[in-house]
Amino acid sequence: MTSVTLDLPEPVAEALASPRRWLVTGAAGFIGSHLIEALLLHDQDVVGLDDFSTGRRTNLEDVAARIGADRWRRFDLHEVDVRSAEACRRAAEGVDVILHQAALGPALRSLEQPLETHAVNVLGTVQLLEAARCGSRPRFVYASSRCVYGDDSTLPKIEGRRGSPLSPYAASKVAAELAAGVYARAYGLEAVSLRYFNVYGPRQPPDGPYAAVMPRWIEAFLGGHPVVVYGDGETSRDFCFVADAVLATLLAALGGREELAGSAVNVAGGEPSSLNRLFDLLRERISRERPEEGNRKPVHAPFRPGDVRYSEADLTRARRVLGFQPRYDLRRGLDETVPWYQALHERGHGAGLTVGKGPR
C-alpha cells in the first residue's frame, strides 16, 4: 500500500546525517508512525512507545514494509503505558530527542472519558518529562493541539493568546503545555510544544465514533454512505498534510534551541478551508475514478459539543524560529491522501500482519 512521500529539505537531511537515538511515543499512531518512517529512512536509531489502546499495528507494518528489513532493525518497540514512570524511564534511557505524540483524544471522546483523558494526556506527559529530566536530558517536542485556543475568537490564532478550553481534551493539552514550559524554565529542559492544526493524510483511522472529518468523509464517499456535515458547513479548519507536520516536528527537534525552549509554535497548512469547500474538493477528487460521486450532496446534522467554529493559524513564529513553510496545499495533499484510502477500502480495514517487537 502506498504512503506519503517524505522528502526532507536539505538542511534537515544534513542534520540527520549523524545518527541520533530518538524516542517516539504514540509510535503506532497516525503522526507517530510517519515520524518513525522518516527517521528510519535516514538511518536513525528509534525507540517506539505505544500501548496500542488507539495505535494500530498495521501502521507499523506499513512502515516496516516500506523501509526494508535492515532499517527496521534499528527500531525498538516498547509496548507499555505512558502513565508508567518506570516504562517512561526505560524507554527514555540514552535518547537524544523525545517526540511525544501519545495522547487520548479527541474532544468528543474526552467529554465521555474526562478522567482517562486527563490521566493519559497530563500525567503521561509529566511522567515523560520527569524521565527526561532525570535521564539524558534530551530535546523534548510535545504534540499539542489547536484546541488550546478554546473560545478565543481572534483569527488567525497567535501563540501568545488563548481562550478558555471547550473540552477536557483541550484542558489536558493546556495543562501538558504548561508542564513542558515549567520543566524548561525550572530545570533547563529543552521542551517545545507544537500546536498541530487538523493534520490529515494516510494512516489516519477512518472508522470508529471519534474519526476525524477527513478520513470519515473519504470513507463515506467510497462506501456509499451519507457524508454528514455538522452544522452549516461554514466551520473552517486549517488542514495540515502529515508530511508537513513531520517536517515541522523534525525542525523543532533539530534547531532553534534558545528561542524554542519552553515555548509553543503553531503547525498548520496555512490555507484555511470551510467544510463546504472540503466537501467540494473531495467530491471533485473522488469523482475522477468514481464519476457517480460527482452529484453527491452532504447531509447536515446539528453542531457537536466541544467543536471550535473557526480555526486559522498564524505561522509567523513557525517560519521565524523553525524555518517552517508548508509544502502541501489542500489539493496536493488530497492527491496523496485519497489513493491511500481507496487502496485501504479495496483491501478491507485491518488487513495486514501483526508487528512484533524489534531488538531490545
Side-chain angles (χ1 to χ4, degrees):
M1 188 180 293
T2 60
S3 188
V4 302
T5 303
L6 291 172
D7 294 327
L8 300 178
E10 188 173 337
V12 177
E14 287 178 355
L16 292 173
S18 299
R20 292 173 172 82
R21 186 169 176 82
W22 303 67
L23 169 59
V24 180
T25 70
F30 165 43
I31 302 175
S33 65
H34 283 289
L35 286 166
I36 288 170
E37 180 178 335
L39 293 170
L40 292 176
L41 282 172
H42 287 80
D43 298 317
Q44 303 295 294
D45 296 315
V46 183
V47 179
L49 187 156
D50 206 305
D51 67 356
F52 294 97
S53 56
T54 59
R56 301 191 174 199
R57 295 183 188 275
T58 49
N59 287 343
L60 294 180
E61 180 191 65
D62 195 23
V63 173
R66 285 174 56 78
I67 66 172
D70 288 342
R71 285 186 167 119
W72 184 247
R73 293 189 186 96
R74 304 185 79 137
F75 178 59
D76 178 6
L77 177 62
H78 291 229
E79 191 170 338
V80 293
D81 191 325
V82 73
R83 290 171 290 185
S84 165
E86 177 61 18
C88 287
R89 184 193 65 77
R90 287 173 55 85
E93 283 181 354
V95 302
D96 302 299
V97 184
I98 294 176
L99 305 180
H100 181 32
Q101 296 285 322
L104 189 64
L108 185 60
R109 186 206 304 263
S110 75
L111 291 167
E112 299 168 358
Q113 304 174 27
L115 294 179
E116 186 80 357
T117 298
H118 178 86
V120 173
N121 296 355
V122 182
L123 176 60
T125 300
V126 173
Q127 295 285 27
L128 203 59
L129 285 164
E130 185 66 4
R133 179 183 77 88
C134 297
S136 54
R137 304 182 67 81
R139 170 65 69 92
F140 191 103
V141 182
Y142 170 61
S144 187
S145 166
R146 64 174 178 86
C147 69
V148 302
Y149 292 107
D151 63 0
D152 176 44
S153 60
T154 305
L155 291 176
K157 304 300 184 185
I158 300 171
E159 287 87 345
R161 179 168 181 166
R162 286 199 309 250
S164 298
L166 296 176
S167 67
Y169 175 71
S172 75
K173 286 295 184 178
V174 171
E177 271 196 18
L178 291 172
V182 167
Y183 270 75
R185 291 184 292 275
Y187 303 117
L189 197 67
E190 293 180 350
V192 57
S193 298
L194 299 184
R195 294 175 181 169
Y196 295 128
F197 280 65
N198 293 94
V199 182
Y200 71 96
R203 300 195 193 124
Q204 191 173 26
D207 49 5
Y210 310 115
V213 62
M214 185 84 74
R216 188 174 71 246
W217 282 8
I218 295 174
E219 176 61 21
F221 269 107
L222 297 177
H225 307 301
V227 177
V228 179
V229 178
Y230 294 102
D232 59 6
E234 288 308 300
T235 294
S236 67
R237 295 291 180 260
D238 201 334
F239 293 102
C240 180
F241 187 56
V242 66
D244 280 333
V246 167
L247 171 60
T249 305
L250 295 182
L251 287 168
L254 296 168
R257 293 180 181 275
E258 292 184 1
E259 286 196 88
L260 283 174
S263 69
V265 184
N266 290 335
V267 175
E271 182 195 8
S273 173
S274 70
L275 296 183
N276 286 331
R277 176 173 179 258
L278 173 63
F279 178 88
D280 290 341
L281 290 175
L282 282 173
R283 180 174 57 188
E284 173 190 316
R285 179 62 183 79
I286 291 171
S287 64
R288 294 179 197 173
E289 288 82 24
R290 296 172 173 243
E292 67 276 11
E293 295 296 337
N295 296 319
R296 178 75 82 102
K297 302 293 183 183
V299 174
H300 288 270
F303 286 105
R304 297 186 303 180
D307 273 354
V308 174
R309 177 65 161 152
Y310 302 111
S311 186
E312 176 185 351
D314 184 297
L315 293 180
T316 302
R317 179 169 169 76
R319 293 187 179 100
R320 180 171 60 83
V321 302
L322 294 183
F324 171 67
Q325 180 63 39
R327 299 168 297 170
Y328 288 80
D329 61 19
L330 192 49
R331 287 183 183 274
R332 184 186 175 194
L334 290 178
D335 281 343
E336 289 220 29
T337 300
V338 170
W340 189 88
Y341 286 99
Q342 289 172 327
L344 180 70
H345 187 79
E346 291 168 4
R347 290 177 56 181
H349 298 324
L353 303 175
T354 299
V355 174
K357 296 183 180 182
R360 299 299 292 257

